[in-house]
Each structure stands twice: as structure tokens, then as C-alpha cells.
Amino acid sequence: MFSRRMLFASAPALAAPALLPGTASAQNFPTRPIMMVNPYPPGGATEFGARLIAQRMEQELGQSVVIDARAGAGTAIGNSFVAGQRPDGYTLLMGTTSLAVLPALQPTSVPRDPRTAFAPIGPATISPFVLHVHPDFPARTVQEVIDYAKANPGRVSWGSSGIGAINHMTLELFRARTGIDVVHVPYRGGAPALVDIAANRIQCMFAAAQEASSSIQAGRTRGIAVTSTERMASLPDLPPIAETVPGFNSVFWQGVFAPAGISQEIAARLERAVRNAAENAEVKERLASAGIANWPGDAALLRDTLAQDTETWGNIIRTQNITVG
């Protein structure tokens, strides 16, 4: 009896050391550099925002946050890479609105459901698109664009960065809400589309604010409206489409995700770092100079946004019969 009592009494003491490594790792996190995957080609607006957030996170965490571009398959390559990593906080994804598009657009892609494959850490940036046109295009307001397209069905060419890109999805939302019939011209990225709209090979396009602003200011295109519900500080003369099409709202967001299964302690540490980065005055100023807004908030905001957008874009993809290839 004495030996059994001693064995039971010592069991908690024997078990306690087994808990220490995990506890210590959460308390000391991070102890080495963190990789943040950008699922887009380097040099774009997504990388710009990711680098600003990562640089500020480094100051919060005391470790390097390295941006690793893993582009391809409409962001599925970078997404699937991160989803397959250990949920230890050392591999993160700078996820975007595309996470909400892929389940319906590419149902066989991996991960099949980003809502369960990833743990939301925190929102980072948000940016509207700008509806801009070739300077010779006759319409000068959103209503005039709608009226002209309806009077000329199938004759207006409308570019995008590619099938399933968020500016393409914005076009499909605009089509669904207004009933216009235009020709979608997908490109491999925004740069070649901007070349063609300036050359009048296409007439209209929803472009990232950063790209559209420089084109408008140079006189290569003419701005019509923005896709957010509020005006942009960098283009204050452009009204929201929602003033003509009530409730219209389409934005490109970025948020940090980790593989599902990350511990609550490490997730909370990362969430604080992302939020502090997004709220930093210098980060806000540099983002604003590129037509991008900071998007501070918590993991719940990012989770809810992903869930809501997955439903919204899934409905658009199904009702507009959008397919890849």
C-alpha cells in the first residue's frame, strides 16, 4: 500500500515536466525567424502590404519575419504550402480575399476549405478597386457606364487580372447587380491589362487603387468611381459605386493566417503583433500613400470576414457560371 500511495503521489510530479516544453515554447515564442508566405508574385500590392506589416511585427516579436513569395494557381500553391506546415507559429500566410473565392472557383484545390485549414490571426490591410476607363470612353459617371453598356450589349471590353481574380469577381458582382452585358478580357496580371486599357484595346477595368492612381494621374486612364462604400483619401473626387448601386461593396483585404491547430497562446502573441503593426502610425501613412488602408482588428473579425466573403463570392461564381479554363 505504501508503494502504491507513493506511486500515485508522485504521478503529478512525473507528469509535470512533460508539460514544460510546450508551455516554455509558448512563453518564449518566437525563438527563431518566422516565414510569412505571400501567395502572389513578388513586387505587387500584396507584397507591399505584407512587408510593411512584417517589418513592424519584427519589432514587436524580436525576431525576423521573412516574406517568401510562393505564387501560382490563383494563390492555391502558397495557401496549400502553409496549410501543410506545422502549426507552431513559424510559418504564416498573408492571406487575401482570394481565400474566399477558391472553394467555389477551384473546388478540388488544396486546401479545399480555408475556413477549416487555417487559424485566423488578424486583419492587416484593406483596399478598394477603382473603376477607370480609357479617356475616350464616352461615359463619365457610374450611371452613364451602365447606360452605355446596356445600349451597346457585348461591345464594351472589360479587363481583369485573370479569371477568379478579385477585380474579375468585382466585375461579376457589378454585372449581377446592374444587368449589363460586357465582354470580360482576362489577363495574366494587372500590368498587361493596364497597358491595353491605356492603348484603348479594352475600355474599362476595375484596378487596384495603387495601380489605377498612377494611371489616372498620368492621364492614361480616367477614373469613374471606387468599389468601397466610402471615398478614398488619395482619390477624393471619385464617388463610391454604392451611391448609384445601393449596397455595392467589393474590397481586397489582407490578413495573417496560421495552419489550423496552432496553440491559443502563440496565436494570441501573433495576433497582438499583427494588430499593433496595423495600428502603427508610420505603417498607416505608408499604406495610405499607396491607396491602401490599414485594417486593424482581431482574429474574430478576420474569421467572420472570410466566412461572409466565402458565401458572397461562392454565390456569384455559381449564379454567373464562372469556371476556370
Side-chain angles (χ1 to χ4, degrees), residues 60-61 121 265 267-278:
E60 296 283 336
L61 298 172
I121 298 299
E265 294 81 6
R269 178 90 169 95
L270 289 167
E271 182 182 5
R272 286 194 299 273
V274 173
R275 184 163 192 163
N276 288 339

Side-chain angles (χ1 to χ4, degrees), residues 122-288:
T125 73
I126 198 163
S127 176
F129 294 101
V130 175
L131 170 56
H132 64 148
V133 301
H134 185 270
D136 291 342
F137 191 69
R140 305 191 73 87
T141 67
V142 173
Q143 189 59 57
E144 288 178 3
V145 170
I146 296 169
D147 293 343
Y148 184 85
K150 287 185 174 181
N152 299 272
R155 295 179 60 187
V156 176
S157 296
W158 206 297
S160 81
S161 302
I163 296 174
I166 306 306
N167 59 347
H168 171 216
M169 301 308 301
T170 303
L171 166 60
E172 297 299 342
L173 179 63
F174 191 61
R175 281 209 254 202
R177 294 293 307 276
T178 62
I180 61 172
D181 176 14
V182 298
V183 178
H184 173 224
V185 183
Y187 290 80
R188 292 187 175 182
L194 288 171
V195 170
D196 275 8
I197 192 172
N200 206 18
R201 287 186 281 269
I202 57 174
Q203 287 77 56
C204 306
M205 181 182 176
F206 287 111
Q210 186 179 24
E211 298 171 337
S213 295
S214 59
S215 181
I216 292 168
Q217 291 166 2
R220 293 188 294 269
T221 59
R222 176 162 42 82
I224 298 288
V226 296
T227 62
S228 55
T229 56
E230 298 179 352
R231 294 184 183 233
M232 290 176 53
S234 59
L235 293 168
D237 294 335
L238 300 186
I241 290 176
E243 291 185 6
T244 303
V245 184
F248 190 93
N249 184 35
S250 178
V251 295
F252 181 81
W253 51 257
Q254 294 178 235
V256 179
F257 294 81
I262 188 172
S263 75
Q264 292 183 357
E265 294 81 6
I266 292 177
R269 178 90 169 95
L270 289 167
E271 182 182 5
R272 286 194 299 273
V274 173
R275 184 163 192 163
N276 288 339
E279 292 179 339
N280 178 262
E282 182 181 354
V283 170
K284 289 168 63 175
E285 183 178 350
R286 293 187 63 187
L287 287 170

